[in-house]
Amino acid sequence: MPAPYIRDLISKSEIDGIADIMTRGGEHGMKTFDQAILELYNAGKITREEALSNANSRHNLEVKIRLASGGLQSPSDLLSIDES
């Protein structure tokens, strides 16, 4: 379980690594805020606009939404994401 590792990161004020651990910690019930928002969006509980406006990383969430919907066909599509 990653909890002791996260506790150690916090005690050392090295919080930058926590989100990465949480992103990969799904089997332990951990998820980032953006992962939770994506789940709500995929379940139809919130709109795309609500998801993106509340995301910690709007760009990253937009990419995940577009990947899930088949909206990205090639790496160059990443450059055409509308940030509005």
Side-chain angles (χ1 to χ4, degrees):
M1 182 164 227
Y5 181 66
I6 289 176
R7 188 177 314 117
D8 187 49
L9 288 174
I10 293 170
S11 71
K12 294 177 181 178
S13 297
E14 297 175 4
I15 59 172
D16 294 337
I18 295 174
D20 185 48
I21 298 297
M22 290 179 68
T23 299
R24 295 180 285 143
E27 67 271 5
H28 300 289
M30 287 191 268
K31 65 180 86 171
T32 65
F33 187 67
D34 285 357
Q35 286 173 318
I37 288 175
L38 183 60
E39 287 179 11
L40 291 171
Y41 170 75
N42 288 336
K45 295 182 179 182
I46 61 173
T47 66
R48 181 178 179 274
E49 293 75 27
E50 288 174 308
L52 295 174
S53 68
N54 289 290
N56 285 328
S57 174
R58 179 184 175 95
H59 175 75
N60 289 345
L61 186 59
E62 173 74 14
V63 169
K64 289 176 184 174
I65 289 171
R66 290 183 68 185
L67 280 170
S69 68
L72 291 177
Q73 303 302 320
S74 69
S76 63
D77 289 341
L78 293 172
L79 301 174
S80 65
I81 292 176
D82 182 16
E83 292 287 334
S84 58

